[in-house]
Amino acid sequence: MGPENRYGTAEYLPDEESHLFLAWRDGDNRAIETLYRKMRVALFRLLTTMANDPGVAEEVYQEAWITIIRNADRYEPRARFRTFFMTIARSRLLDAQRRIGRTVKTAPLEEEVFDIADVDTPTPEMVAISKDMVARFEIALRALPDVQREVFVLKEREDYSWQDIATIIGAPLETARARHRYALKKLTVAIGVI
Amino acid sequence: MTSSDPTLWKQLFDAVDAEQALEPSEFSDRRILAAAAAMSQQRAAAAAPALVVQSRRWTQGVRPWLAIAATVAAVSVVGINRAQFGSQPSIIAADAGLVAPPPLRLDFIAGSARLSRSANDALAALAATDDLCAPDTVLRVTGSTGPLAEARRAAIGASATAVAGCPVATAAQPAGDATIDAVTVAVRAAE
């Protein structure tokens, strides 16, 4: 984020990916390939985890890119390019899940409405990552409600800011934080780490 | 390592990634980069100087322009404007190739907007191939079912054959394949 604008909010300074996308839009035909090669694996894996279905993820991945390419003129670098991408991709993902009749798994109402205390302060005990832990993590991650998994992945795997996550999921910051805390608690229990 | 250690989750995600090694398919890569290339061409074509020619019968009118199109590197379709010429099938071939370097701009006006646009894309791609009459040149056609759609598919195939000046195989894709547009570009089976 950069200096504050006249509205008192921080102005976004375009990142490298945004620059590449804008350069392509301005006539540098190679810039889009550079951008695509740079981001393809990370965006695809993120989307695959969020979708919980590789087939749906592949379809949504294509649709999101093509939507962005065809509507490039509407792009304004108000956020990181990857945030812009994920906002569109998430919308396409929800469309795809509705189309194939899959119900989006939401969290129980009480989890959405009421906040919870932070996970207990961890002890300094060190735990090595084992194959078994990875397996339990993968299963528990898949079992999370969609709305919790997406926030957890965006935060812990991709290090998106809370503001970016709120933008992508179209919900208030506190909702994003609460979903993350629930996910964290469940995963912590699942992998047996405190 | 504890649950509050930020490296814990990253390491777990890395471990899952390493195990699955997921990547987009080559088909996805090709489709996305082709869409970007087509959009780049459209922009370049839209900015190109234009010489406009109109023909009442598009299969006759388009033929000489396809000959020109075959000599330049890029062909793109920039849109359909039926209102300007009414319902009569017409062609505007806006040629930058005659007076300036490519890309060539080729507009085609006929029929239903969506199918015409797709057909136009396919014809433009046909024109851009080195050998229009290669036996493995295939025009892939998709769309809804029903007599009207069938008739349109047949018409598109016949038109492609007419403009290419030699038989062009038309392969109907199964409807409902979300990864393929209603009428897609011509492809070569050998590729």
mmCIF file of all heavy atoms in Angstrom, chain A residues 80 83 87 90 147 150-156 159-173 175-177 180:
data_model
loop_
_atom_site.group_PDB
_atom_site.id
_atom_site.type_symbol
_atom_site.label_atom_id
_atom_site.label_comp_id
_atom_site.label_asym_id
_atom_site.label_seq_id
_atom_site.Cartn_x
_atom_site.Cartn_y
_atom_site.Cartn_z
ATOM 1 N N ARG A 80 -3.697 -5.934 -5.855
ATOM 2 C CA ARG A 80 -2.722 -6.787 -6.531
ATOM 3 C C ARG A 80 -3.430 -7.574 -7.629
ATOM 4 O O ARG A 80 -4.603 -7.911 -7.499
ATOM 5 C CB ARG A 80 -2.109 -7.781 -5.530
ATOM 6 C CG ARG A 80 -1.234 -7.109 -4.489
ATOM 7 C CD ARG A 80 -0.397 -8.135 -3.765
ATOM 8 N NE ARG A 80 -1.193 -9.151 -3.096
ATOM 9 C CZ ARG A 80 -0.686 -10.253 -2.556
ATOM 10 N NH1 ARG A 80 0.605 -10.484 -2.632
ATOM 11 N NH2 ARG A 80 -1.453 -11.127 -1.954
ATOM 12 N N THR A 83 -5.081 -10.695 -6.492
ATOM 13 C CA THR A 83 -6.345 -10.488 -5.781
ATOM 14 C C THR A 83 -7.472 -10.299 -6.785
ATOM 15 O O THR A 83 -8.569 -10.856 -6.639
ATOM 16 C CB THR A 83 -6.239 -9.249 -4.865
ATOM 17 O OG1 THR A 83 -5.163 -9.445 -3.956
ATOM 18 C CG2 THR A 83 -7.528 -9.018 -4.091
ATOM 19 N N THR A 87 -10.610 -12.852 -7.141
ATOM 20 C CA THR A 87 -11.984 -12.367 -6.973
ATOM 21 C C THR A 87 -12.853 -12.891 -8.115
ATOM 22 O O THR A 87 -13.972 -13.379 -7.896
ATOM 23 C CB THR A 87 -12.002 -10.822 -6.950
ATOM 24 O OG1 THR A 87 -11.117 -10.369 -5.928
ATOM 25 C CG2 THR A 87 -13.401 -10.302 -6.678
ATOM 26 N N ARG A 90 -13.086 -16.844 -7.924
ATOM 27 C CA ARG A 90 -14.005 -17.326 -6.886
ATOM 28 C C ARG A 90 -15.455 -17.207 -7.355
ATOM 29 O O ARG A 90 -16.277 -18.097 -7.121
ATOM 30 C CB ARG A 90 -13.810 -16.538 -5.595
ATOM 31 C CG ARG A 90 -14.684 -17.048 -4.461
ATOM 32 C CD ARG A 90 -14.444 -16.262 -3.198
ATOM 33 N NE ARG A 90 -15.202 -16.805 -2.081
ATOM 34 C CZ ARG A 90 -16.457 -16.467 -1.803
ATOM 35 N NH1 ARG A 90 -17.095 -15.599 -2.563
ATOM 36 N NH2 ARG A 90 -17.071 -17.007 -0.771
ATOM 37 N N VAL A 147 -16.105 -22.195 2.964
ATOM 38 C CA VAL A 147 -15.843 -20.794 3.320
ATOM 39 C C VAL A 147 -14.680 -20.658 4.299
ATOM 40 O O VAL A 147 -14.037 -19.612 4.361
ATOM 41 C CB VAL A 147 -17.111 -20.125 3.911
ATOM 42 C CG1 VAL A 147 -18.204 -20.024 2.852
ATOM 43 C CG2 VAL A 147 -17.613 -20.859 5.143
ATOM 44 N N GLU A 150 -11.218 -21.698 2.118
ATOM 45 C CA GLU A 150 -10.694 -20.696 1.197
ATOM 46 C C GLU A 150 -9.938 -19.595 1.946
ATOM 47 O O GLU A 150 -8.876 -19.146 1.510
ATOM 48 C CB GLU A 150 -11.809 -20.103 0.328
ATOM 49 C CG GLU A 150 -12.845 -19.310 1.084
ATOM 50 C CD GLU A 150 -13.964 -18.801 0.182
ATOM 51 O OE1 GLU A 150 -13.935 -19.064 -1.030
ATOM 52 O OE2 GLU A 150 -14.872 -18.126 0.711
ATOM 53 N N VAL A 151 -10.472 -19.184 3.090
ATOM 54 C CA VAL A 151 -9.800 -18.135 3.860
ATOM 55 C C VAL A 151 -8.470 -18.650 4.409
ATOM 56 O O VAL A 151 -7.442 -17.969 4.343
ATOM 57 C CB VAL A 151 -10.702 -17.648 5.018
ATOM 58 C CG1 VAL A 151 -9.914 -16.753 5.961
ATOM 59 C CG2 VAL A 151 -11.905 -16.905 4.462
ATOM 60 N N PHE A 152 -8.493 -19.866 4.905
ATOM 61 C CA PHE A 152 -7.270 -20.430 5.473
ATOM 62 C C PHE A 152 -6.175 -20.550 4.417
ATOM 63 O O PHE A 152 -5.013 -20.201 4.656
ATOM 64 C CB PHE A 152 -7.561 -21.808 6.092
ATOM 65 C CG PHE A 152 -6.394 -22.372 6.839
ATOM 66 C CD1 PHE A 152 -6.123 -21.954 8.126
ATOM 67 C CD2 PHE A 152 -5.540 -23.289 6.240
ATOM 68 C CE1 PHE A 152 -5.022 -22.456 8.821
ATOM 69 C CE2 PHE A 152 -4.447 -23.782 6.916
ATOM 70 C CZ PHE A 152 -4.190 -23.368 8.212
ATOM 71 N N VAL A 153 -6.554 -21.007 3.249
ATOM 72 C CA VAL A 153 -5.574 -21.194 2.171
ATOM 73 C C VAL A 153 -5.026 -19.850 1.711
ATOM 74 O O VAL A 153 -3.817 -19.687 1.509
ATOM 75 C CB VAL A 153 -6.229 -21.950 0.991
ATOM 76 C CG1 VAL A 153 -5.313 -21.961 -0.209
ATOM 77 C CG2 VAL A 153 -6.561 -23.362 1.405
ATOM 78 N N LEU A 154 -5.916 -18.901 1.546
ATOM 79 C CA LEU A 154 -5.463 -17.586 1.087
ATOM 80 C C LEU A 154 -4.490 -16.969 2.092
ATOM 81 O O LEU A 154 -3.498 -16.345 1.704
ATOM 82 C CB LEU A 154 -6.667 -16.652 0.892
ATOM 83 C CG LEU A 154 -7.549 -16.956 -0.325
ATOM 84 C CD1 LEU A 154 -8.872 -16.205 -0.225
ATOM 85 C CD2 LEU A 154 -6.839 -16.598 -1.621
ATOM 86 N N LYS A 155 -4.762 -17.182 3.364
ATOM 87 C CA LYS A 155 -3.921 -16.554 4.390
ATOM 88 C C LYS A 155 -2.641 -17.332 4.626
ATOM 89 O O LYS A 155 -1.539 -16.789 4.573
ATOM 90 C CB LYS A 155 -4.722 -16.452 5.700
ATOM 91 C CG LYS A 155 -4.006 -15.670 6.781
ATOM 92 C CD LYS A 155 -3.849 -14.230 6.364
ATOM 93 C CE LYS A 155 -2.943 -13.454 7.312
ATOM 94 N NZ LYS A 155 -2.568 -12.156 6.746
ATOM 95 N N GLU A 156 -2.764 -18.595 4.906
ATOM 96 C CA GLU A 156 -1.606 -19.357 5.378
ATOM 97 C C GLU A 156 -0.714 -19.882 4.261
ATOM 98 O O GLU A 156 0.465 -20.101 4.475
ATOM 99 C CB GLU A 156 -2.069 -20.535 6.254
ATOM 100 C CG GLU A 156 -2.816 -20.114 7.501
ATOM 101 C CD GLU A 156 -1.971 -19.249 8.435
ATOM 102 O OE1 GLU A 156 -0.742 -19.268 8.329
ATOM 103 O OE2 GLU A 156 -2.568 -18.538 9.260
ATOM 104 N N ASP A 159 -0.410 -16.051 1.851
ATOM 105 C CA ASP A 159 -0.066 -14.835 2.580
ATOM 106 C C ASP A 159 -0.795 -13.596 2.057
ATOM 107 O O ASP A 159 -0.222 -12.512 1.986
ATOM 108 C CB ASP A 159 1.458 -14.616 2.524
ATOM 109 C CG ASP A 159 1.929 -13.837 3.734
ATOM 110 O OD1 ASP A 159 1.213 -13.828 4.748
ATOM 111 O OD2 ASP A 159 3.007 -13.219 3.648
ATOM 112 N N TYR A 160 -2.039 -13.755 1.672
ATOM 113 C CA TYR A 160 -2.846 -12.594 1.279
ATOM 114 C C TYR A 160 -3.129 -11.768 2.526
ATOM 115 O O TYR A 160 -3.248 -12.311 3.623
ATOM 116 C CB TYR A 160 -4.179 -13.049 0.675
ATOM 117 C CG TYR A 160 -4.111 -13.469 -0.781
ATOM 118 C CD1 TYR A 160 -3.476 -14.643 -1.158
ATOM 119 C CD2 TYR A 160 -4.685 -12.690 -1.777
ATOM 120 C CE1 TYR A 160 -3.407 -15.028 -2.487
ATOM 121 C CE2 TYR A 160 -4.633 -13.073 -3.106
ATOM 122 C CZ TYR A 160 -3.994 -14.249 -3.457
ATOM 123 O OH TYR A 160 -3.927 -14.631 -4.769
ATOM 124 N N SER A 161 -3.260 -10.455 2.336
ATOM 125 C CA SER A 161 -3.601 -9.593 3.468
ATOM 126 C C SER A 161 -5.070 -9.816 3.827
ATOM 127 O O SER A 161 -5.860 -10.298 2.995
ATOM 128 C CB SER A 161 -3.384 -8.129 3.094
ATOM 129 O OG SER A 161 -4.351 -7.730 2.135
ATOM 130 N N TRP A 162 -5.435 -9.450 5.046
ATOM 131 C CA TRP A 162 -6.842 -9.604 5.441
ATOM 132 C C TRP A 162 -7.743 -8.777 4.532
ATOM 133 O O TRP A 162 -8.853 -9.190 4.193
ATOM 134 C CB TRP A 162 -7.037 -9.194 6.904
ATOM 135 C CG TRP A 162 -6.471 -10.194 7.860
ATOM 136 C CD1 TRP A 162 -5.436 -10.026 8.726
ATOM 137 C CD2 TRP A 162 -6.897 -11.548 8.024
ATOM 138 N NE1 TRP A 162 -5.193 -11.180 9.415
ATOM 139 C CE2 TRP A 162 -6.078 -12.133 9.015
ATOM 140 C CE3 TRP A 162 -7.888 -12.332 7.437
ATOM 141 C CZ2 TRP A 162 -6.221 -13.454 9.431
ATOM 142 C CZ3 TRP A 162 -8.031 -13.650 7.849
ATOM 143 C CH2 TRP A 162 -7.210 -14.195 8.825
ATOM 144 N N GLN A 163 -7.261 -7.603 4.146
ATOM 145 C CA GLN A 163 -8.063 -6.751 3.265
ATOM 146 C C GLN A 163 -8.291 -7.436 1.918
ATOM 147 O O GLN A 163 -9.405 -7.433 1.371
ATOM 148 C CB GLN A 163 -7.354 -5.401 3.056
ATOM 149 C CG GLN A 163 -8.164 -4.394 2.260
ATOM 150 C CD GLN A 163 -9.508 -4.085 2.924
ATOM 151 O OE1 GLN A 163 -9.548 -3.641 4.082
ATOM 152 N NE2 GLN A 163 -10.607 -4.352 2.232
ATOM 153 N N ASP A 164 -7.234 -8.032 1.375
ATOM 154 C CA ASP A 164 -7.370 -8.732 0.089
ATOM 155 C C ASP A 164 -8.336 -9.912 0.213
ATOM 156 O O ASP A 164 -9.146 -10.166 -0.676
ATOM 157 C CB ASP A 164 -6.006 -9.242 -0.389
ATOM 158 C CG ASP A 164 -5.160 -8.121 -1.000
ATOM 159 O OD1 ASP A 164 -5.702 -7.016 -1.210
ATOM 160 O OD2 ASP A 164 -3.960 -8.351 -1.245
ATOM 161 N N ILE A 165 -8.223 -10.631 1.320
ATOM 162 C CA ILE A 165 -9.103 -11.789 1.508
ATOM 163 C C ILE A 165 -10.559 -11.344 1.605
ATOM 164 O O ILE A 165 -11.453 -11.943 0.994
ATOM 165 C CB ILE A 165 -8.687 -12.583 2.773
ATOM 166 C CG1 ILE A 165 -7.302 -13.218 2.551
ATOM 167 C CG2 ILE A 165 -9.710 -13.661 3.094
ATOM 168 C CD1 ILE A 165 -6.699 -13.837 3.796
ATOM 169 N N ALA A 166 -10.787 -10.270 2.346
ATOM 170 C CA ALA A 166 -12.155 -9.757 2.468
ATOM 171 C C ALA A 166 -12.699 -9.353 1.092
ATOM 172 O O ALA A 166 -13.870 -9.600 0.768
ATOM 173 C CB ALA A 166 -12.173 -8.571 3.423
ATOM 174 N N THR A 167 -11.829 -8.757 0.269
ATOM 175 C CA THR A 167 -12.237 -8.370 -1.086
ATOM 176 C C THR A 167 -12.606 -9.602 -1.903
ATOM 177 O O THR A 167 -13.628 -9.639 -2.585
ATOM 178 C CB THR A 167 -11.088 -7.612 -1.794
ATOM 179 O OG1 THR A 167 -10.779 -6.448 -1.029
ATOM 180 C CG2 THR A 167 -11.470 -7.213 -3.212
ATOM 181 N N ILE A 168 -11.765 -10.608 -1.836
ATOM 182 C CA ILE A 168 -11.986 -11.812 -2.653
ATOM 183 C C ILE A 168 -13.276 -12.526 -2.253
ATOM 184 O O ILE A 168 -14.054 -12.931 -3.112
ATOM 185 C CB ILE A 168 -10.777 -12.775 -2.531
ATOM 186 C CG1 ILE A 168 -9.548 -12.161 -3.214
ATOM 187 C CG2 ILE A 168 -11.100 -14.135 -3.137
ATOM 188 C CD1 ILE A 168 -8.252 -12.881 -2.914
ATOM 189 N N ILE A 169 -13.490 -12.658 -0.960
ATOM 190 C CA ILE A 169 -14.679 -13.420 -0.531
ATOM 191 C C ILE A 169 -15.915 -12.539 -0.400
ATOM 192 O O ILE A 169 -17.011 -13.036 -0.144
ATOM 193 C CB ILE A 169 -14.438 -14.177 0.805
ATOM 194 C CG1 ILE A 169 -14.271 -13.181 1.973
ATOM 195 C CG2 ILE A 169 -13.236 -15.095 0.688
ATOM 196 C CD1 ILE A 169 -14.205 -13.868 3.332
ATOM 197 N N GLY A 170 -15.727 -11.232 -0.549
ATOM 198 C CA GLY A 170 -16.874 -10.327 -0.501
ATOM 199 C C GLY A 170 -17.549 -10.311 0.856
ATOM 200 O O GLY A 170 -18.776 -10.307 0.955
ATOM 201 N N ALA A 171 -16.743 -10.314 1.898
ATOM 202 C CA ALA A 171 -17.285 -10.319 3.265
ATOM 203 C C ALA A 171 -16.458 -9.371 4.127
ATOM 204 O O ALA A 171 -15.327 -9.024 3.763
ATOM 205 C CB ALA A 171 -17.233 -11.735 3.836
ATOM 206 N N PRO A 172 -16.996 -8.967 5.281
ATOM 207 C CA PRO A 172 -16.227 -8.074 6.162
ATOM 208 C C PRO A 172 -14.949 -8.738 6.682
ATOM 209 O O PRO A 172 -14.865 -9.969 6.749
ATOM 210 C CB PRO A 172 -17.196 -7.791 7.319
ATOM 211 C CG PRO A 172 -18.547 -8.134 6.798
ATOM 212 C CD PRO A 172 -18.347 -9.215 5.786
ATOM 213 N N LEU A 173 -14.025 -7.883 7.069
ATOM 214 C CA LEU A 173 -12.749 -8.376 7.596
ATOM 215 C C LEU A 173 -12.951 -9.337 8.771
ATOM 216 O O LEU A 173 -12.297 -10.381 8.843
ATOM 217 C CB LEU A 173 -11.925 -7.192 8.101
ATOM 218 C CG LEU A 173 -11.040 -6.458 7.095
ATOM 219 C CD1 LEU A 173 -10.398 -5.258 7.758
ATOM 220 C CD2 LEU A 173 -9.979 -7.397 6.576
ATOM 221 N N THR A 175 -15.390 -11.239 9.500
ATOM 222 C CA THR A 175 -15.890 -12.550 9.063
ATOM 223 C C THR A 175 -14.735 -13.405 8.570
ATOM 224 O O THR A 175 -14.629 -14.599 8.891
ATOM 225 C CB THR A 175 -16.922 -12.368 7.936
ATOM 226 O OG1 THR A 175 -17.968 -11.533 8.411
ATOM 227 C CG2 THR A 175 -17.482 -13.701 7.474
ATOM 228 N N ALA A 176 -13.862 -12.769 7.799
ATOM 229 C CA ALA A 176 -12.700 -13.505 7.286
ATOM 230 C C ALA A 176 -11.839 -14.003 8.437
ATOM 231 O O ALA A 176 -11.405 -15.165 8.463
ATOM 232 C CB ALA A 176 -11.890 -12.605 6.362
ATOM 233 N N ARG A 177 -11.603 -13.147 9.382
ATOM 234 C CA ARG A 177 -10.764 -13.542 10.532
ATOM 235 C C ARG A 177 -11.413 -14.681 11.331
ATOM 236 O O ARG A 177 -10.740 -15.620 11.769
ATOM 237 C CB ARG A 177 -10.552 -12.349 11.458
ATOM 238 C CG ARG A 177 -9.604 -11.291 10.920
ATOM 239 C CD ARG A 177 -9.461 -10.214 12.001
ATOM 240 N NE ARG A 177 -9.026 -8.941 11.480
ATOM 241 C CZ ARG A 177 -7.747 -8.575 11.368
ATOM 242 N NH1 ARG A 177 -6.804 -9.407 11.719
ATOM 243 N NH2 ARG A 177 -7.429 -7.391 10.896
ATOM 244 N N HIS A 180 -11.116 -17.926 9.582
ATOM 245 C CA HIS A 180 -9.736 -18.398 9.681
ATOM 246 C C HIS A 180 -9.487 -19.042 11.039
ATOM 247 O O HIS A 180 -8.851 -20.098 11.135
ATOM 248 C CB HIS A 180 -8.782 -17.222 9.464
ATOM 249 C CG HIS A 180 -7.344 -17.581 9.622
ATOM 250 N ND1 HIS A 180 -6.681 -17.465 10.830
ATOM 251 C CD2 HIS A 180 -6.440 -18.102 8.747
ATOM 252 C CE1 HIS A 180 -5.431 -17.879 10.678
ATOM 253 N NE2 HIS A 180 -5.257 -18.267 9.427
#
